Amino acid sequence: MKLVHQINLAFAVSMMLVLSITAVMIHYVLLDHFIGVEQAELRTLGASMTARLTTQPVVSMEAAAPVAAVQAPLPISAVTREVAAIVTDQQGNIVSGKVPALAASSGIIKAGMAPQATSIQSIWSGEDSRFLVQINTIPQGKLTLLSPVSKIRTIEQALLKRMILVFAAGATLMLLFSLFITRKLINPLIRLREELKKVKSRHFSEVGLIKAGGEIGTVAETVYEMAGELNRFNRVQKQFFQNASHELKSPLMSISGYAEGIRDGVFEGEGIVKGLNVILGETSRLRNLVTEMTLLAKLDSEEDIYRPAEVSLQELLEDALERINPLLAKRKLALHTAYSGGPLIVTADRDKLLQALLNVLNNAARYAGGSIEIQTARTRGRITLHVADDGPGIPEELLPALFHRFVKGKDGESGLGLAISRAIVERGGGRIQADNRKTGGALISLEFPAANSA
């Protein structure tokens, strides 16, 4: 069953249930109200007639005579206006009036149904529930007023039927309104389903934004943004494989060329040694490239490759500086470090973060002119690390894509080092940015959330 039909069916069932319960409650409320009003009128009428009968002698009269006698000074406003008055003496014998005969205990007279006799004693004892009874004591005996419950029920049921008709008309209008609203709400979902089919078939660029309100609009915006991200990721993956094939092709061509030359006797003597050195160098470069590509792929797809724990960023940075110290000495670079802000404890995978720092420091050492500055600080639960050099800086056209894969500067190697650093830093909940300093040189900024225990 379609969602629109399910919603309409659920609404119709709920509405019928609510209206049925409401009708039952109204039935009993109306009946109780009419009975209360009738009993109040009986008490008023009984008090008036008692006062008159106290000062007047009782004469034989018909059932309606006492009522008619008091209608002029005290109009009867009871629901039924069919009240029987019975006067009895001290021994319980009827002096005036008579008990009306009704068809059945329900009080509703139907065609072909014989009236049922009732005694005044059964009415007084409460055995006959077909009448509302008001008993007043008079000097001659008792004045009993009787009002048939059947008349009250008849009026109440007639009124209830009219209310049910009104309910039915209202329910029909509500159902039609529900169909309109449901269709208005479901239409965006139907259109959203069509857009998701485009996502399924990998036509990410064709996915459009569905205009809708509320949660459906939020979901539609999320789907649209997801399609955009998938489209971007698809382009990046294609570009990655194109760049990867190009980067792998270069060392493979060198290895293949020198290997064929040695095999065919093109190189002799020192030429063979030179060719073997090239083969070994390109093999090492190829191995490093494959290792970096594999690590980057794992950081993107595998959860268990990153094992976070609390580590000291200062100790990790000093370890990284020890490892690149030979490069610093070779290039005669001065190193300046400054730590501030208390303990620099972050939650990260120690080995992976060490590799990210080595990539950033190696990049700074490659382009620095004479010095590298490193500053760390902790403010408001965040730990920042700035690595600056005094080199030529980063070309402006390269800044937006510096941390993308296979993006490298003039003297870059594989173009994967900073991409790996970004993937590692972001896996730890941090972020990395690049910019040029006003005084010249490049600035790489890393920011991490401080560990909870720090």
Side-chain angles (χ1 to χ4, degrees):
M1 185 182 293
K2 293 184 178 180
L3 179 60
V4 61
H5 297 154
Q6 293 179 7
I7 294 176
N8 288 327
L9 179 61
F11 179 79
V13 172
S14 301
M15 185 171 58
M16 291 300 296
L17 182 61
V18 170
L19 290 179
S20 299
I21 295 174
T22 304
V24 172
M25 293 178 63
I26 290 176
H27 163 71
Y28 285 107
V29 169
L30 285 176
L31 189 61
D32 184 68
H33 172 71
F34 287 153
I35 289 176
V37 171
E38 186 72 4
Q39 286 177 337
E41 294 292 341
L42 287 178
R43 285 194 295 271
T44 302
L45 183 58
S48 176
M49 294 185 66
T50 299
R52 285 175 173 269
L53 292 175
T54 301
T55 59
Q56 296 178 6
V58 179
V59 296
S60 178
M61 61 185 75
E62 297 298 325
V67 177
V70 297
Q71 279 181 346
L74 183 63
I76 301 175
S77 59
V79 177
T80 66
R81 292 183 178 271
E82 295 187 11
V83 179
I86 302 173
V87 178
T88 58
D89 56 18
Q90 300 294 341
Q91 289 76 30
N93 300 317
I94 296 177
V95 176
S96 175
K98 63 180 180 179
V99 178
L102 299 179
S105 60
S106 64
I108 301 175
I109 302 177
K110 297 183 179 179
M113 186 177 294
Q116 182 179 358
T118 304
S119 64
I120 191 66
Q121 285 77 15
S122 62
I123 294 175
W124 288 345
S125 63
E127 296 176 1
D128 196 333
S129 59
R130 295 174 298 162
F131 298 97
L132 294 179
V133 182
Q134 174 63 35
I135 303 174
N136 294 83
T137 303
I138 58 177
Q140 297 86 352
K142 290 183 180 180
L143 171 64
T144 303
L145 299 179
L146 304 178
S147 179
V149 177
S150 59
K151 300 302 180 179
I152 298 176
R153 291 185 182 273
T154 301
I155 295 175
E156 180 268 332
Q157 289 175 3
L159 182 59
L160 183 62
K161 287 178 182 178
R162 291 184 175 88
M163 295 186 68
I164 289 175
L165 290 176
V166 174
F167 281 175
T172 303
L173 292 176
M174 286 296 295
L175 186 58
L176 293 176
F177 184 70
S178 169
L179 291 172
F180 171 75
I181 293 297
T182 303
R183 190 169 298 277
K184 187 176 179 64
L185 292 176
I186 294 300
N187 278 339
L189 287 177
I190 295 175
R191 293 162 55 198
L192 185 59
R193 180 185 62 186
E194 298 302 320
E195 300 303 320
L196 287 173
K197 287 181 179 179
K198 297 177 184 178
V199 174
K200 181 181 179 182
S201 58
R202 297 180 181 274
H203 297 156
F204 306 123
S205 60
E206 299 177 6
V207 176
L209 177 61
I210 304 299
K211 298 292 185 180
E215 288 75 7
I216 297 178
T218 303
V219 173
E221 290 179 4
T222 303
V223 170
Y224 180 73
E225 293 172 358
M226 178 188 68
E229 287 296 314
L230 289 173
N231 189 40
R232 185 189 65 80
F233 180 76
N234 197 32
R235 290 199 310 268
V236 169
Q237 287 296 98
K238 289 179 180 179
Q239 185 179 4
F240 172 77
F241 286 116
Q242 291 171 358
N243 294 335
S245 62
H246 174 74
E247 293 292 332
L248 293 174
K249 187 183 297 183
S250 298
L252 286 175
M253 288 178 62
S254 299
I255 292 171
S256 176
Y258 277 100
E260 289 177 359
I262 294 173
R263 183 195 64 186
D264 297 337
V266 176
F267 301 105
E268 296 179 355
E270 292 183 1
I272 295 176
V273 176
K274 181 180 178 181
L276 290 174
N277 288 334
V278 172
I279 291 174
L280 289 174
E282 291 299 307
T283 302
S284 175
R285 177 187 167 198
L286 189 61
R287 181 174 62 249
N288 292 337
L289 187 60
V290 171
T291 300
E292 289 180 339
M293 290 172 58
T294 303
L295 174 60
L296 198 53
K298 287 183 177 180
L299 287 170
D300 287 340
S301 59
E302 296 184 13
E303 292 293 333
D304 56 352
I305 192 175
Y306 192 86
R307 298 179 176 85
E310 292 188 0
V311 296
S312 171
L313 183 61
Q314 181 176 344
E315 294 179 2
L316 207 59
L317 189 57
E318 291 174 353
D319 191 0
L321 291 175
E322 285 292 330
R323 299 193 183 198
I324 69 164
N325 192 50
L327 178 61
L328 298 177
K330 181 180 178 180
R331 299 205 58 214
K332 298 180 180 181
L333 298 174
L335 181 66
H336 307 282
T337 59
Y339 305 101
S340 63
L344 307 176
I345 307 299
V346 298
T347 302
D349 186 314
R350 189 183 190 283
D351 294 335
K352 300 295 185 301
L353 186 55
L354 176 61
Q355 183 171 356
L357 294 177
L358 284 171
N359 291 343
V360 172
L361 292 173
N362 275 317
N363 189 75
R366 187 180 299 116
Y367 295 100
S371 65
I372 297 176
E373 296 179 6
I374 299 175
Q375 295 181 348
T376 61
R378 172 175 174 167
T379 55
R380 298 181 180 178
R382 306 289 292 183
I383 296 175
T384 56
L385 168 64
H386 301 288
V387 179
D389 62 68
D390 59 350
I394 305 170
E396 292 297 328
E397 67 275 7
L398 202 63
L399 271 174
L402 184 64
F403 296 100
H404 292 179
R405 302 169 184 182
F406 298 108
V407 175
K408 54 185 177 181
K410 182 179 179 181
D411 299 324
E413 293 181 349
S414 64
L416 293 176
L418 290 181
I420 291 174
S421 295
R422 183 184 72 167
I424 292 173
V425 170
E426 290 180 351
R427 281 293 294 269
R431 61 179 181 176
I432 184 171
Q433 302 178 77
D435 203 352
N436 288 316
R437 298 197 302 174
K438 294 181 180 180
T439 57
L443 173 64
I444 304 295
S445 302
L446 294 86
E447 184 176 321
F448 305 91
N452 294 331
S453 62

